[in-house]
Amino acid sequence: MTPNETAPARGETKQFLVACDGCSYERPADGREEATRIGSDHRRETGHDLVAIELPPSVGDA
């Protein structure tokens, strides 16, 4: 798995939504590497658990 995966059909970086289980923190991320960095930073600051949800390509087109 590469850090910045691309959507095969369109050659674009996959989009993720990083969301916190312990508060209302949500941030968009371009690629897995950025999602991991955002989640790690927030977890280090708060101790909260986070999830990164891959967004379907159509969400970015809206």
Side-chain angles (χ1 to χ4, degrees):
M1 176 180 352
T2 60
N4 289 326
E5 295 180 356
T6 56
R10 300 189 320 172
E12 296 175 358
T13 301
K14 289 185 178 182
Q15 300 292 309
F16 293 86
L17 178 64
V18 180
C20 182
D21 194 34
C23 66
S24 61
Y25 183 88
E26 289 185 349
R27 294 291 182 274
D30 294 328
R32 288 184 188 272
E33 188 173 282
E34 183 178 356
T36 300
R37 181 189 56 76
I38 291 169
S40 295
D41 290 348
H42 184 71
R43 176 178 240 175
R44 190 172 25 256
E45 292 174 12
T46 65
H48 295 165
D49 290 324
L50 290 108
V51 295
I53 303 161
E54 184 178 339
L55 301 175
S58 61
V59 171
D61 294 341

Coordinates of all heavy atoms in Angstrom, one line a residue:
M1 N 0.9 -1.2 0.0 CA 0.0 0.0 0.0 C 0.9 1.2 0.0 O 1.8 1.3 0.8 CB -0.9 0.0 1.2 CG -1.7 1.2 1.3 SD -2.9 1.3 2.8 CE -2.8 -0.3 3.6
T2 N 0.6 2.2 -0.9 CA 1.4 3.4 -0.9 C 0.8 4.4 0.0 O -0.4 4.5 0.2 CB 1.5 3.9 -2.4 OG1 0.2 4.2 -2.8 CG2 2.2 2.9 -3.3
P3 N 1.6 5.4 0.5 CA 1.1 6.4 1.5 C 0.0 7.3 0.8 O -1.0 7.6 1.4 CB 2.3 7.2 1.9 CG 3.4 6.3 1.6 CD 3.0 5.4 0.4
N4 N 0.2 7.7 -0.4 CA -0.7 8.6 -1.1 C -1.4 7.8 -2.2 O -1.0 7.8 -3.3 CB -0.1 9.8 -1.7 CG 0.3 10.8 -0.6 OD1 -0.3 10.9 0.4 ND2 1.4 11.4 -0.8
E5 N -2.4 7.0 -1.8 CA -3.0 6.1 -2.8 C -3.8 7.0 -3.8 O -4.3 8.1 -3.4 CB -4.0 5.2 -2.1 CG -3.2 4.2 -1.3 CD -4.2 3.2 -0.6 OE1 -5.4 3.4 -0.7 OE2 -3.7 2.3 0.1
T6 N -4.0 6.5 -5.0 CA -4.8 7.3 -5.9 C -6.0 6.5 -6.3 O -5.9 5.2 -6.4 CB -4.0 7.6 -7.2 OG1 -3.4 6.4 -7.8 CG2 -2.8 8.6 -6.9
A7 N -7.1 7.2 -6.6 CA -8.3 6.5 -7.1 C -8.0 6.0 -8.5 O -7.6 6.8 -9.4 CB -9.4 7.5 -7.1
P8 N -8.0 4.7 -8.8 CA -7.6 4.1 -10.0 C -8.3 4.7 -11.3 O -7.6 5.0 -12.3 CB -7.9 2.7 -9.9 CG -8.3 2.4 -8.5 CD -8.6 3.7 -7.9
A9 N -9.5 5.0 -11.2 CA -10.3 5.4 -12.4 C -9.9 6.9 -12.8 O -10.0 7.3 -13.9 CB -11.8 5.3 -12.2
R10 N -9.6 7.7 -11.8 CA -9.4 9.1 -12.1 C -8.0 9.7 -11.8 O -7.8 10.8 -12.1 CB -10.5 9.9 -11.3 CG -11.9 9.5 -11.7 CD -12.9 10.4 -11.2 NE -12.8 10.8 -9.9 CZ -13.6 11.7 -9.3 NH1 -14.6 12.2 -9.9 NH2 -13.4 12.1 -8.0
G11 N -7.2 8.9 -11.2 CA -5.8 9.3 -10.9 C -5.7 10.4 -9.9 O -4.7 11.1 -9.9
E12 N -6.7 10.5 -9.0 CA -6.7 11.5 -8.0 C -6.4 10.9 -6.6 O -6.6 9.7 -6.4 CB -8.1 12.2 -7.9 CG -8.4 13.0 -9.2 CD -9.8 13.5 -9.1 OE1 -10.5 13.3 -8.1 OE2 -10.2 14.2 -10.1
T13 N -5.9 11.7 -5.7 CA -5.6 11.2 -4.4 C -6.9 10.9 -3.7 O -7.9 11.6 -3.8 CB -4.8 12.2 -3.6 OG1 -3.6 12.5 -4.2 CG2 -4.5 11.8 -2.2
K14 N -7.0 9.8 -2.9 CA -8.2 9.4 -2.2 C -8.4 10.4 -1.1 O -7.5 10.9 -0.5 CB -8.0 8.0 -1.6 CG -8.1 6.9 -2.6 CD -8.1 5.6 -2.0 CE -8.2 4.5 -3.0 NZ -8.2 3.2 -2.4
Q15 N -9.6 10.7 -0.8 CA -10.0 11.7 0.2 C -10.6 10.9 1.4 O -11.3 9.9 1.3 CB -11.1 12.6 -0.3 CG -10.7 13.4 -1.5 CD -9.7 14.4 -1.2 OE1 -9.9 15.2 -0.3 NE2 -8.6 14.4 -1.9
F16 N -10.2 11.4 2.6 CA -10.6 10.8 3.9 C -11.2 11.9 4.8 O -10.9 13.1 4.7 CB -9.4 10.2 4.6 CG -8.9 9.0 3.9 CD1 -7.9 9.1 2.9 CD2 -9.3 7.7 4.2 CE1 -7.4 8.0 2.2 CE2 -8.8 6.6 3.6 CZ -7.9 6.7 2.6
L17 N -12.1 11.5 5.7 CA -12.6 12.3 6.7 C -12.1 11.7 8.0 O -12.4 10.6 8.3 CB -14.1 12.4 6.7 CG -14.7 13.3 7.8 CD1 -14.3 14.7 7.7 CD2 -16.2 13.1 7.9
V18 N -11.3 12.5 8.8 CA -10.8 12.0 10.1 C -11.7 12.5 11.1 O -11.9 13.8 11.2 CB -9.3 12.5 10.3 CG1 -8.8 12.1 11.6 CG2 -8.4 12.1 9.1
A19 N -12.4 11.6 11.9 CA -13.3 12.0 12.9 C -13.0 11.5 14.2 O -12.5 10.3 14.3 CB -14.7 11.5 12.4
C20 N -13.3 12.2 15.2 CA -12.9 11.9 16.6 C -14.1 11.2 17.3 O -15.3 11.7 17.1 CB -12.5 13.1 17.4 SG -12.0 12.7 19.1
D21 N -13.9 10.2 18.1 CA -14.9 9.5 18.8 C -15.2 10.2 20.1 O -16.3 10.0 20.7 CB -14.4 8.0 19.1 CG -15.6 7.1 19.5 OD1 -16.7 7.3 19.1 OD2 -15.3 6.2 20.4
G22 N -14.3 11.1 20.6 CA -14.5 11.7 21.9 C -15.0 13.1 21.9 O -15.2 13.7 22.9
C23 N -15.0 13.8 20.7 CA -15.4 15.2 20.6 C -15.9 15.4 19.1 O -16.0 14.5 18.3 CB -14.2 16.1 20.9 SG -12.8 16.1 19.8
S24 N -16.1 16.7 18.8 CA -16.7 17.0 17.5 C -15.6 17.2 16.4 O -15.9 17.7 15.4 CB -17.6 18.2 17.6 OG -16.8 19.3 18.1
Y25 N -14.4 16.9 16.7 CA -13.3 17.1 15.8 C -13.4 16.3 14.5 O -13.6 15.1 14.5 CB -12.0 16.7 16.5 CG -10.7 16.9 15.7 CD1 -10.0 18.1 15.7 CD2 -10.2 15.9 14.9 CE1 -8.9 18.3 15.0 CE2 -9.0 16.1 14.2 CZ -8.4 17.3 14.2 OH -7.2 17.5 13.5
E26 N -13.4 17.0 13.4 CA -13.5 16.4 12.0 C -12.6 17.2 11.1 O -12.6 18.4 11.1 CB -14.9 16.3 11.4 CG -15.8 15.4 12.1 CD -17.2 15.4 11.4 OE1 -17.4 16.2 10.5 OE2 -17.9 14.5 11.7
R27 N -11.8 16.5 10.3 CA -10.9 17.2 9.4 C -10.8 16.4 8.1 O -10.7 15.1 8.1 CB -9.5 17.3 9.9 CG -9.3 18.2 11.1 CD -9.6 19.7 10.7 NE -9.4 20.6 11.9 CZ -10.3 20.9 12.8 NH1 -11.5 20.3 12.7 NH2 -10.0 21.7 13.8
P28 N -10.8 17.0 6.9 CA -10.6 16.3 5.7 C -9.1 16.0 5.5 O -8.3 16.7 6.0 CB -11.1 17.3 4.6 CG -10.9 18.6 5.2 CD -11.1 18.4 6.7
A29 N -8.8 15.0 4.7 CA -7.4 14.6 4.5 C -7.2 14.1 3.1 O -8.1 13.4 2.6 CB -6.9 13.6 5.5
D30 N -6.1 14.5 2.4 CA -5.8 14.0 1.1 C -4.8 12.8 1.3 O -3.7 13.0 1.6 CB -5.1 15.1 0.3 CG -6.1 16.2 -0.1 OD1 -7.3 15.9 -0.2 OD2 -5.6 17.3 -0.2
G31 N -5.3 11.6 1.1 CA -4.4 10.4 1.2 C -4.3 9.9 2.6 O -4.6 10.6 3.6
R32 N -3.9 8.6 2.7 CA -3.8 7.9 4.0 C -2.7 8.6 4.9 O -2.8 8.6 6.1 CB -3.4 6.5 3.8 CG -4.6 5.7 3.3 CD -4.2 4.2 3.2 NE -5.2 3.4 2.5 CZ -6.3 2.9 3.1 NH1 -6.4 3.0 4.4 NH2 -7.2 2.2 2.4
E33 N -1.6 9.0 4.3 CA -0.5 9.5 5.1 C -0.9 10.8 5.8 O -0.7 10.9 7.0 CB 0.7 9.9 4.2 CG 1.9 10.3 4.9 CD 3.1 10.5 4.0 OE1 3.7 9.4 3.6 OE2 3.4 11.6 3.6
E34 N -1.7 11.7 5.2 CA -2.1 12.9 5.8 C -3.2 12.5 6.9 O -3.2 13.1 8.0 CB -2.7 13.9 4.8 CG -3.2 15.2 5.5 CD -3.7 16.2 4.5 OE1 -3.7 16.0 3.3 OE2 -4.1 17.3 5.0
A35 N -4.1 11.6 6.6 CA -5.1 11.2 7.5 C -4.4 10.6 8.8 O -4.9 10.9 9.9 CB -6.0 10.1 6.9
T36 N -3.4 9.8 8.6 CA -2.7 9.3 9.8 C -2.0 10.4 10.6 O -2.1 10.3 11.8 CB -1.6 8.2 9.3 OG1 -2.3 7.2 8.6 CG2 -0.8 7.7 10.4
R37 N -1.4 11.3 9.9 CA -0.7 12.4 10.6 C -1.7 13.2 11.4 O -1.5 13.5 12.6 CB 0.0 13.3 9.6 CG 0.7 14.5 10.3 CD 1.2 15.5 9.3 NE 0.2 16.0 8.4 CZ -0.7 17.0 8.8 NH1 -0.7 17.4 10.0 NH2 -1.6 17.4 7.9
I38 N -2.9 13.6 10.8 CA -3.9 14.4 11.5 C -4.4 13.6 12.7 O -4.5 14.2 13.8 CB -5.1 14.7 10.5 CG1 -4.6 15.7 9.5 CG2 -6.3 15.2 11.3 CD1 -5.6 15.9 8.3
G39 N -4.7 12.3 12.5 CA -5.2 11.5 13.6 C -4.2 11.4 14.8 O -4.6 11.4 15.9
S40 N -3.0 11.1 14.4 CA -1.9 11.0 15.4 C -1.7 12.3 16.2 O -1.6 12.2 17.5 CB -0.6 10.6 14.8 OG -0.7 9.3 14.2
D41 N -1.8 13.4 15.5 CA -1.6 14.7 16.2 C -2.7 14.9 17.2 O -2.5 15.3 18.4 CB -1.5 15.8 15.2 CG -0.3 15.9 14.4 OD1 0.7 15.1 14.8 OD2 -0.2 16.6 13.4
H42 N -4.0 14.7 16.8 CA -5.1 14.9 17.7 C -5.1 13.9 18.9 O -5.4 14.3 20.0 CB -6.4 14.8 16.9 CG -7.7 15.1 17.7 ND1 -8.0 16.3 18.1 CD2 -8.6 14.3 18.2 CE1 -9.1 16.3 18.8 NE2 -9.5 15.0 18.9
R43 N -4.8 12.7 18.6 CA -4.7 11.7 19.7 C -3.7 12.0 20.7 O -3.9 11.9 21.9 CB -4.5 10.3 19.1 CG -4.3 9.2 20.2 CD -4.1 7.9 19.6 NE -5.2 7.1 20.1 CZ -5.4 5.9 19.8 NH1 -4.6 5.3 18.9 NH2 -6.4 5.2 20.3
R44 N -2.5 12.5 20.2 CA -1.4 12.9 21.1 C -1.9 14.0 22.0 O -1.6 14.1 23.2 CB -0.2 13.3 20.3 CG 1.1 13.4 21.1 CD 2.3 13.6 20.2 NE 2.1 14.2 18.9 CZ 2.2 13.4 17.8 NH1 2.4 12.1 17.8 NH2 2.0 14.0 16.6
E45 N -2.6 15.0 21.5 CA -3.1 16.1 22.2 C -4.2 15.8 23.2 O -4.3 16.4 24.2 CB -3.6 17.2 21.3 CG -2.5 17.9 20.4 CD -3.0 18.8 19.4 OE1 -4.2 19.2 19.5 OE2 -2.2 19.2 18.5
T46 N -5.1 14.9 22.8 CA -6.4 14.7 23.6 C -6.5 13.3 24.2 O -7.3 13.1 25.1 CB -7.6 14.9 22.7 OG1 -7.6 13.9 21.7 CG2 -7.6 16.3 22.1
G47 N -5.8 12.3 23.6 CA -6.0 10.9 24.0 C -7.3 10.3 23.5 O -7.6 9.2 23.8
H48 N -8.0 11.0 22.6 CA -9.2 10.5 22.0 C -8.9 9.5 20.9 O -7.9 9.5 20.2 CB -10.0 11.6 21.4 CG -10.5 12.6 22.4 ND1 -11.0 13.8 22.0 CD2 -10.7 12.5 23.7 CE1 -11.4 14.4 23.1 NE2 -11.2 13.7 24.2
D49 N -9.8 8.5 20.6 CA -9.7 7.6 19.5 C -10.3 8.2 18.3 O -11.4 8.9 18.3 CB -10.5 6.3 19.8 CG -9.8 5.5 20.9 OD1 -8.6 5.5 20.9 OD2 -10.5 4.9 21.7
L50 N -9.7 8.0 17.1 CA -10.1 8.6 15.9 C -10.3 7.5 14.8 O -9.8 6.4 14.9 CB -9.1 9.6 15.3 CG -9.1 10.9 16.2 CD1 -7.8 10.9 17.0 CD2 -9.2 12.1 15.3
V51 N -11.1 7.8 13.8 CA -11.3 7.0 12.7 C -11.1 7.8 11.4 O -11.4 9.0 11.4 CB -12.7 6.3 12.6 CG1 -12.9 5.4 13.8 CG2 -13.8 7.3 12.6
A52 N -10.6 7.2 10.4 CA -10.5 7.8 9.1 C -11.4 7.1 8.1 O -11.3 5.9 7.9 CB -9.0 7.7 8.6
I53 N -12.3 7.8 7.6 CA -13.4 7.3 6.7 C -13.0 7.7 5.2 O -12.9 8.9 5.0 CB -14.8 7.8 7.0 CG1 -15.0 7.4 8.5 CG2 -15.8 7.2 6.1 CD1 -16.2 8.2 9.1
E54 N -12.9 6.7 4.4 CA -12.6 7.0 3.0 C -13.9 7.5 2.3 O -14.9 6.9 2.4 CB -12.1 5.8 2.2 CG -11.7 6.1 0.8 CD -11.2 4.9 0.1 OE1 -10.7 3.9 0.7 OE2 -11.2 4.9 -1.2
L55 N -13.8 8.7 1.7 CA -14.9 9.3 1.0 C -15.0 8.8 -0.4 O -14.0 8.7 -1.1 CB -14.8 10.8 1.1 CG -14.7 11.4 2.4 CD1 -14.5 12.9 2.3 CD2 -16.0 11.1 3.2
P56 N -16.2 8.5 -0.9 CA -16.3 8.1 -2.3 C -16.0 9.3 -3.2 O -16.1 10.5 -2.8 CB -17.8 7.8 -2.4 CG -18.5 8.1 -1.2 CD -17.4 8.5 -0.2
P57 N -15.4 9.0 -4.4 CA -15.0 10.1 -5.3 C -16.1 11.1 -5.6 O -15.8 12.2 -5.8 CB -14.6 9.3 -6.6 CG -14.3 7.9 -6.1 CD -15.2 7.7 -4.9
S58 N -17.4 10.7 -5.6 CA -18.5 11.6 -6.0 C -18.6 12.7 -4.9 O -19.2 13.8 -5.2 CB -19.8 10.8 -6.1 OG -20.1 10.2 -4.9
V59 N -18.2 12.5 -3.7 CA -18.4 13.5 -2.6 C -17.5 14.7 -3.0 O -17.9 15.8 -2.7 CB -18.0 12.9 -1.2 CG1 -17.9 14.0 -0.2 CG2 -19.0 11.9 -0.8
G60 N -16.3 14.5 -3.5 CA -15.5 15.6 -3.8 C -15.9 16.4 -5.0 O -15.5 17.6 -5.2
D61 N -16.8 15.9 -5.8 CA -17.3 16.6 -7.0 C -18.5 17.5 -6.7 O -18.8 18.3 -7.5 CB -17.8 15.5 -8.1 CG -16.7 14.7 -8.6 OD1 -15.6 15.1 -8.5 OD2 -17.0 13.6 -9.2
A62 N -19.1 17.4 -5.5 CA -20.3 18.2 -5.2 C -19.9 19.6 -5.0 O -18.9 20.1 -4.7 CB -20.9 17.6 -3.9

